[in-house]
Amino acid sequence: SNYDIDGFRHDATKHIPEVFWRSLTQKLKKCVMMQEGKRLYQIGETFGGRELLKAYINSGIHDGQFSFNLYYESRASFALPDYSFEKLAIALDQDLKAFGEHNLMGNITGNHDMPRFISYAGEDLTFSQNAEHEAWIRYISVKNPIGYKRLQSLIAFNCTIPGIPVIYYGDEIGMAGGGDPDNRRPMKFLGLNEHEIENLEIASKIIHIRRSLFSLMYGEYKCLLVNAKTFAYQRNY
């Protein structure tokens, strides 16, 4: 079978010897990229500070890492109504300083190690709860439909800032879930409710807009206004 793979998402980057990553990247360049004239994208999953993440981003290892530090701020900013956007703007500035104004970092909606964003945004989970325990004793859902709007805002943010938008499977429709393993439910392809259908349509539109505008893919980023309730920025190519 020929799957025409465009890249690889590597798990637990820091727990694997660096010599393996360098050997893999060298082989991919030699046997695939140079022979087939194809560009492969490699993104790693590393929990840690920005300096640690930078250690795994260069031409010999990976192209980018999941930007967990930015995600923690975007998750709170969009899920919680009283969380200031000023903290998110600072986190984005720190990412751009650390990884460059034009980077290949992954702007994520979620991850297999964390509870689903919409379970917080839809007010069925709080950040003070033990999400793993809650998932074993009850069915985690979307209690307040406003969670879908908040998820759409997060997707829009990820698709309009520098970096690579990464949608964790199911977030395009707003799948709920508590802590691991409840955040790994089988993908729901059929029987979508009205909110899930709308979420999928809006996510698709946002992705199409990003892919059709050079400014969103390659443009300069400039913050225009930020306060507790507002975050406005400009991308210019």
Side-chain angles (χ1 to χ4, degrees):
S1 298
N2 180 6
Y3 294 101
D4 196 26
I5 290 170
D6 294 308
F8 299 91
R9 175 256 192 248
H10 299 300
D11 200 57
T13 301
K14 66 182 179 182
H15 300 295
I16 296 167
E18 187 181 312
V19 65
F20 171 81
W21 296 127
R22 290 192 178 277
S23 300
L24 174 65
T25 299
Q26 183 182 36
K27 196 164 187 177
L28 287 173
K29 286 183 176 180
K30 188 176 178 181
C31 300
V32 181
M33 296 191 215
M34 290 170 69
Q35 282 194 20
E36 299 181 14
K38 178 172 183 173
R39 178 77 163 86
L40 289 175
Y41 174 65
Q42 293 190 84
I43 186 167
E45 183 221 29
T46 305
F47 283 93
R50 291 178 174 87
E51 288 303 313
L52 176 65
L53 270 61
K54 281 171 68 176
Y56 294 102
I57 303 170
N58 58 58
S59 63
I61 309 183
H62 296 162
D63 301 292
Q65 301 285 314
F66 288 155
S67 187
F68 289 112
N69 300 290
L70 181 62
Y71 176 67
Y72 294 137
E73 292 299 334
S74 63
R75 181 177 68 174
S77 295
F78 292 109
L80 303 174
D82 56 351
Y83 196 87
S84 175
F85 276 122
E86 291 170 316
K87 296 178 182 178
L88 179 57
I90 291 170
L92 179 54
D93 280 340
Q94 289 173 335
D95 256 31
L96 296 177
K97 284 187 175 73
F99 308 116
E101 294 287 327
H102 300 279
N103 63 66
L104 297 174
M105 293 293 287
N107 305 321
I108 63 173
T109 60
N111 168 270
H112 69 283
D113 290 318
M114 297 181 286
R116 291 277 183 175
F117 170 84
I118 203 165
S119 297
Y120 291 123
E123 300 173 357
D124 200 23
L125 274 180
T126 66
F127 287 115
S128 62
Q129 288 177 313
N130 182 320
E132 285 80 8
H133 175 71
E134 292 295 320
W136 284 112
I137 62 173
R138 64 188 179 89
Y139 184 76
I140 307 296
S141 63
V142 183
K143 191 181 289 183
N144 187 340
I146 197 173
Y148 292 98
K149 299 297 184 187
R150 292 169 174 168
L151 174 57
Q152 291 153 23
S153 295
L154 173 64
I155 293 172
F157 175 73
N158 285 350
C159 287
T160 54
I161 60 172
I164 307 297
V166 180
I167 297 180
Y168 182 47
Y169 86 94
D171 285 344
E172 66 269 49
I173 62 170
M175 273 175 58
D180 184 9
D182 193 43
N183 55 356
R184 310 188 194 197
R185 298 176 189 176
M187 180 63 188
K188 183 178 177 182
F189 293 103
L190 302 172
L192 304 185
N193 65 40
E194 60 177 317
H195 297 297
E196 292 167 334
I197 292 170
E198 181 188 52
N199 207 89
L200 179 59
E201 288 174 349
I202 291 176
S204 299
K205 284 179 182 176
I206 292 168
I207 293 165
H208 176 74
I209 291 169
R210 175 193 158 81
R211 294 185 65 176
S212 61
L213 291 175
F214 274 91
S215 54
L216 293 182
M217 291 187 285
Y218 307 113
E220 301 289 335
Y221 162 86
K222 180 183 180 183
C223 180
L224 302 177
L225 170 70
V226 64
N227 56 44
K229 298 290 184 184
T230 308
F231 186 11
Y233 50 89
Q234 174 181 302
R235 300 294 304 281
N236 184 59
Y237 180 77

